[in-house]
Amino acid sequence: MTGLIETEHLTRTLPSVVPVTLVRDVTLRVAPGEFVALTGPSGSGKSSLLYLLGLLDQPTSGTVRIDGRDTRHMSEAERSGFRLQGIGFVFQFHFLLPEFTIRENVEIPMLRLGRLPPSAIRRRAEDLLAQLGLAGHLAKRPDQISGGQRQRVAVARALANDPPLILADEPTGSLDRKSSGQVFTILQSLSRAEGKTVIAVTHDLSLAALTDRQLELVDGALTTPG
Amino acid sequence: MKLLLMLAFAHIRGRLRQMTVAGLGVALGVGFSIAMAALMQGSQQDFVRQLVDAMPHVEVLDELRRPAPQPAEQVFAAAEFFGLRPVDDQRGIRNPAAVEAALRTWVPGQIAPALRIQAVARFSGREAGVVLYGVLPRQEAQVSSIARDFVVGSFSELAAGGNNVIMGRALADKLGAALGSSVSLVTGSGQARDFRIVGLFHTGARSRDEGEVYVALKGAQTLSGRPNAINTIRIRLDDPARSQEVAARAEIQIGQKAVSWEEANQAVLEALTIRNVIMYTVVAAIMLVAGFGIFNIVSTITHEKARDIAILKSLGFPEADMRRLFLLEGLVIGAVGSLLGWITGYGLCLVLVSIPIKLEELGGATRLPLAWSLLHYVLATGFALMAAGIAGYLPARRAARLNPVDIIRGAT
């Protein structure tokens, strides 16, 4: 996988008495290695679009193509497999599993993929955490480290299976200014140094300025061509 | 699977107290099921053992399984006969010596011929209806359990000659007779003869103790006016389990009805089967109740761990993994509960078997009859794991279907 992601007339409508359209006719293309910010006011559909791109949600109409592969007719198991190998998620809330150490949290996606032997999985988790400045916290549980550190663990977990595509949903939303800058710098380096495609939702324009391109959504639709 | 087990144990550790309660529910269910099964099977085995012990394993009778066709039926192809006078059937086993000799060549056990007739025992103005057995004492001692139940005397007393009779102590008491008393036995045809009581037995079965008397075969034949006749051949097998096979073969060979102890007690055995069905229904009900405990705790965990489910799904865990994870948690509770249940069940069995029970008929203290069988443990565990599996699967299926987007939106 290269991380090329394309959508065509992507629409997501929640069925209800009065249907709510979250994402409206979005057509975009994000090239491999590109760092893109999705901006827009609250409720504009940024996160909804990200979930569609990450195959966590399914569109009402339109298509999502990853590396040219149409994902419309994928089964739930295929979409899960795609996420496991090719997509790393970082959410606003870290969502680390509280019963496990931070090293174990990073190991879990690799253990599920089962591509590496246990010793290599352990080494890679330690390397990733060390790269993110968490070498001294390997045996700690999520509640024993700071919010910024937890979010960096979440980034390490997203990178565990070395996916070409990173999707970040307001990853700095619950962090202070300093930690926010650190996390965004990490995402930037993933794109620039490692060639990963990164799409990050943010409404912090100063952070969005660090990306290659900004796409703004208003009422679920892109204000400029994607 | 190792990863799912790791996740399952993490969830279990987080809810250890509730898990322990659910596991104890299973343990008690399994434990009581094992104890109940041991008690039920033990009492059944004891009952059947007494049943088998008290009667011949196979009895050849002077009857046909289907009435013999009348000569007219063999000659004329009539649709129906009216006013046909049937040929009198000669009662008794034909050619008894030849039949007995033929059976002895292959029957794996002991054989004793007898003449059984209905009679009335009279003594000092009192009388009682009895089944009178004319027996060969030495052979009878080999097939009858009464040989072990003599209070006074033995079958050999009948071999001493003279008109001697052996009867149940209860019958003697009922008639007011005692050892040495002369009792009058009257057959249905009105023939009577006095017999001296030379032995008393006490089996504990009232129908036998008050209703059976034994005299020498010759004496019975004379009393009934049927010299050399026998109407039953009683067989005690080395292996009672072969009774149906032996009865079937004997019936084919002799041409007269041969009844196994299973056939003679079919209704009782069917009642025991129904009792077993009831027992296993109760076991299933106990496990169902234990299953509710597991359902409750696994449901709580899936509710509490909704975020974990969402994040695991976002990481690429498919729905099937989520189902397996929570199913595994249910099964782990079921398995741990079953192991504790084994200990509980074994302990309960030890307690039950140690309780002395005083039974007058058996003349002293006895113990509850328990059957020790690994099958009870395996069955109870099977029921428990099935209940745990179902109880875990239902919330697991619901958890697997959770939409991660809904949970992530709700959490952020």
Side-chain angles (χ1 to χ4, degrees):
Chain A
M1 277 176 74
T2 63
L4 169 66
I5 189 160
E6 298 160 294
T7 69
E8 270 178 29
H9 306 295
L10 199 63
T11 297
R12 175 70 168 110
T13 303
L14 288 181
S16 65
V17 181
V18 182
V20 179
T21 300
L22 303 173
V23 175
R24 197 185 304 271
D25 197 28
V26 169
T27 298
L28 62 78
R29 183 180 188 279
V30 180
E34 202 177 356
F35 186 12
V36 174
L38 282 178
T39 62
S42 291
S44 60
K46 305 182 293 294
S47 296
S48 300
L49 176 59
L50 201 75
Y51 300 149
L52 290 171
L53 296 178
L55 310 183
L56 269 182
D57 199 5
Q58 286 184 287
T60 311
S61 65
T63 58
V64 175
R65 275 200 300 274
I66 300 176
D67 276 354
R69 188 174 168 192
D70 191 341
T71 61
R72 261 181 306 186
H73 304 296
M74 280 184 176
S75 66
E76 184 273 335
E78 281 177 308
R79 287 202 307 277
S80 297
F82 220 90
R83 279 200 299 276
L84 185 65
Q85 296 182 54
I87 303 171
F89 272 103
V90 183
F91 298 99
Q92 181 180 348
F93 186 73
H94 55 80
F95 282 133
L96 298 175
L97 302 181
E99 298 90 352
F100 296 95
T101 63
I102 63 167
R103 197 195 70 229
E104 287 168 337
N105 265 282
V106 177
E107 286 174 352
I108 283 171
M110 292 186 273
L111 288 168
R112 178 62 188 84
L113 187 61
R115 197 178 277 166
L116 298 173
S119 57
I121 287 174
R122 191 185 176 101
R123 209 165 40 244
R124 177 163 171 75
E126 288 171 359
D127 288 348
L128 280 169
L129 288 165
Q131 282 168 29
L132 295 168
L134 295 159
H137 306 280
L138 298 176
K140 288 182 180 168
R141 295 189 189 279
D143 60 357
Q144 294 172 315
I145 56 176
S146 70
Q149 287 171 325
R150 282 179 214 152
Q151 203 59 326
R152 278 186 274 154
V153 176
V155 172
R157 183 179 62 186
L159 295 171
N161 285 332
D162 197 19
L165 177 60
I166 302 293
L167 302 176
D169 184 12
E170 300 205 38
T172 59
S174 56
L175 301 180
D176 58 34
R177 188 91 205 145
K178 188 182 165 201
S179 298
S180 298
Q182 284 176 343
V183 168
F184 241 77
T185 306
I186 291 165
L187 294 176
Q188 192 182 40
S189 72
L190 289 173
S191 166
R192 302 229 168 114
E194 298 188 30
K196 295 187 184 299
T197 307
V198 181
I199 302 174
V201 168
T202 182
H203 44 232
D204 185 330
L205 293 178
S206 63
L207 292 174
L210 295 172
T211 64
D212 300 331
R213 184 157 59 115
Q214 296 174 36
L215 297 172
E216 188 186 19
L217 274 104
V218 175
D219 288 338
L222 286 175
T223 55
T224 51
Chain B
M1 187 55 84
K2 194 179 164 190
L3 174 60
L4 292 180
L5 265 175
M6 189 175 95
L7 291 166
F9 278 115
H11 288 172
I12 288 170
R13 274 199 305 274
R15 277 266 171 192
L16 200 57
R17 192 184 296 172
Q18 290 90 333
M19 289 284 187
T20 306
V21 171
L24 282 176
V26 176
L28 286 175
V30 169
F32 278 101
S33 299
I34 289 169
M36 193 166 73
L39 199 56
M40 295 284 267
Q41 200 189 339
S43 65
Q44 179 174 328
Q45 283 174 350
D46 188 56
F47 180 76
V48 170
R49 191 167 47 242
Q50 287 185 28
L51 196 71
V52 171
D53 204 38
M55 63 187 302
H57 299 154
V58 176
E59 191 168 16
V60 181
L61 303 168
D62 61 338
E63 294 172 16
L64 299 173
R65 204 163 275 278
R66 288 196 185 83
Q70 295 297 321
E73 290 176 290
Q74 292 171 320
V75 175
F76 304 107
E80 200 171 349
F81 292 94
F82 293 98
L84 186 70
R85 185 175 174 189
V87 173
D88 283 339
D89 197 14
Q90 193 185 351
R91 300 305 307 269
I93 293 171
R94 286 161 204 155
N95 303 320
V99 166
E100 194 185 329
L103 289 174
R104 282 194 191 285
T105 59
W106 63 270
V107 168
Q110 305 301 321
I111 295 171
L115 178 64
R116 177 169 51 198
I117 52 178
Q118 296 295 321
V120 173
R122 283 185 184 148
F123 181 76
S124 67
R126 295 183 187 136
E127 56 186 43
V130 295
V131 178
L132 184 150
Y133 286 93
V135 298
L136 296 172
R138 195 173 52 81
Q139 290 178 29
E140 184 64 18
Q142 291 175 333
V143 301
S144 175
S145 62
I146 288 178
R148 293 195 306 270
D149 295 325
F150 275 99
V151 179
V152 185
S154 69
F155 278 120
S156 60
E157 308 287 344
L158 297 179
N163 290 333
N164 295 332
V165 65
I166 288 166
M167 63 173 61
R169 188 175 60 187
L171 176 63
D173 291 345
K174 193 173 170 183
L175 294 171
L179 194 71
S181 301
S182 186
V183 175
S184 180
L185 295 174
V186 186
T187 65
S189 58
Q191 288 175 293
R193 182 176 282 198
D194 289 342
F195 289 83
R196 191 171 63 87
I197 299 174
V198 293
L200 295 169
F201 59 83
H202 175 74
T203 64
R206 194 166 288 272
S207 61
R208 302 193 80 185
D209 293 342
E210 288 189 358
E212 290 184 3
V213 298
Y214 291 80
V215 301
L217 181 58
K218 282 289 173 200
Q221 287 167 340
T222 308
L223 186 64
S224 64
R226 295 159 68 185
N228 301 319
I230 61 164
N231 58 9
T232 174
I233 294 174
R234 295 182 296 161
I235 300 170
R236 188 166 193 86
L237 297 171
D238 300 333
D239 176 12
R242 292 184 63 191
S243 65
Q244 283 178 313
E245 167 206 335
V246 171
R249 186 172 165 188
E251 190 161 319
I252 292 166
Q253 187 181 28
I254 300 163
Q256 290 189 285
K257 192 173 177 181
V259 181
S260 66
W261 68 266
E262 282 106 324
E263 186 186 346
N265 294 286
Q266 200 174 356
V268 174
L269 295 177
E270 280 172 2
L272 291 175
T273 305
I274 291 168
R275 198 178 75 142
N276 285 339
V277 170
I278 293 169
M279 179 190 77
Y280 285 113
T281 307
V282 173
V283 169
I286 293 171
M287 291 308 162
L288 188 69
V289 174
F292 276 114
I294 297 174
F295 177 83
N296 190 30
I297 185 66
V298 177
S299 290
T300 307
I301 291 175
T302 57
H303 185 70
E304 277 183 353
K305 298 294 176 187
R307 278 187 186 187
D308 289 9
I309 294 166
I311 197 63
L312 289 170
K313 286 178 96 171
S314 77
L315 288 175
F317 282 66
E319 284 185 8
D321 273 3
M322 295 297 99
R323 270 196 303 275
R324 283 190 207 113
L325 171 61
F326 293 102
L327 176 64
L328 211 54
E329 289 177 20
L331 288 175
V332 166
I333 303 172
V336 173
S338 295
L339 279 178
L340 290 173
W342 282 29
I343 299 165
T344 311
Y346 186 73
L348 277 171
C349 286
L350 286 179
V351 170
L352 286 172
V353 86
S354 69
I355 299 171
I357 294 173
K358 198 160 186 179
L359 295 174
E360 272 183 34
E361 284 293 343
L362 296 178
T366 185
R367 306 280 174 189
L368 283 171
L370 254 73
W372 300 88
S373 168
L374 187 63
L375 186 67
H376 301 153
Y377 292 74
V378 173
L379 278 177
T381 305
F383 272 119
L385 289 180
M386 197 168 68
I390 294 168
Y393 180 75
L394 296 176
R397 196 179 59 164
R398 204 177 54 228
R401 286 178 180 166
L402 286 175
N403 183 356
V405 172
D406 293 341
I407 298 160
I408 291 164
R409 278 185 195 286
T412 52

